[in-house]
């Protein structure tokens, strides 16, 4: 009977000590921290656009500013493009917003993706320019690589952006 009491006392002590042993953080957390993200991230760089069926016919611009805004509470991001310049002769527009983009935070980058969305300009939806296949990789304070399809007058265009932080 005395041995059983000692055994039970040892088990109780083990259960009390176990949370303290496991709550100090694991080696995995220290070796593989997640990429830190800023609430807002502005990038400048090169936008290249081409018809999806004619990759040789490229238009290039360095005019646009891409700002990624993270809503960490709801785990969605918005992309705001100022001075969007995807095609030669494209009129100057108010900032264009791509809302509701899903993202995941990894060890070395934040990955954004969205199967389809309707951009807004001045708060109004522009369904005549549907966006699809959006994929992006953001490395905080380092780079932003983005690609999506924008349909314009029935032609799907690939839009690719390679950017660095805006100063």
């Amino acid at each position: 009977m005395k041995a059983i009491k000692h055994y039970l006392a040892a088990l109780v002590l083990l259960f009390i000590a176990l949370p303290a042993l496991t709550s100090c953080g694991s080696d995995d957390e220290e070796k593989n921290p997640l990429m830190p993200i800023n609430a807002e991230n502005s990038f400048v760089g090169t936008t290249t656009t081409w018809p999806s069926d004619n990759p040789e016919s490229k238009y290039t611009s360095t005019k646009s500013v891409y700002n990624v805004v993270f809503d960490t509470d709801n785990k969605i991001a918005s992309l705001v493009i100022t001075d969007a310049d995807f095609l030669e002769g494209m009129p100057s527009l108010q900032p264009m917003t791509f809302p509701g983009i899903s993202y995941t935070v990894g060890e070395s980058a934040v990955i954004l993706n969205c199967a389809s969305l309707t951009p807004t300009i001045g708060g109004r939806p522009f369904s005549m320019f549907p966006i699809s296949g959006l994929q992006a990789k953001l490395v905080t304070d380092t780079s932003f690589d983005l690609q999506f399809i924008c349909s314009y007058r029935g032609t799907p265009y690939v839009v690719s952006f390679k950017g660095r932080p805006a100063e």
Side-chain angles (χ1 to χ4, degrees), residues 106-123:
E107 295 172 29
S108 60
V110 180
I111 304 300
L112 298 96
N113 60 57
C114 186
S116 64
L117 62 86
T118 300
T120 63
I121 299 174

Side-chain angles (χ1 to χ4, degrees), residues 46-57:
T46 303
T47 303
T48 306
T49 308
W50 62 91
S52 62
D53 64 352
N54 187 6
E56 296 81 32
S57 181

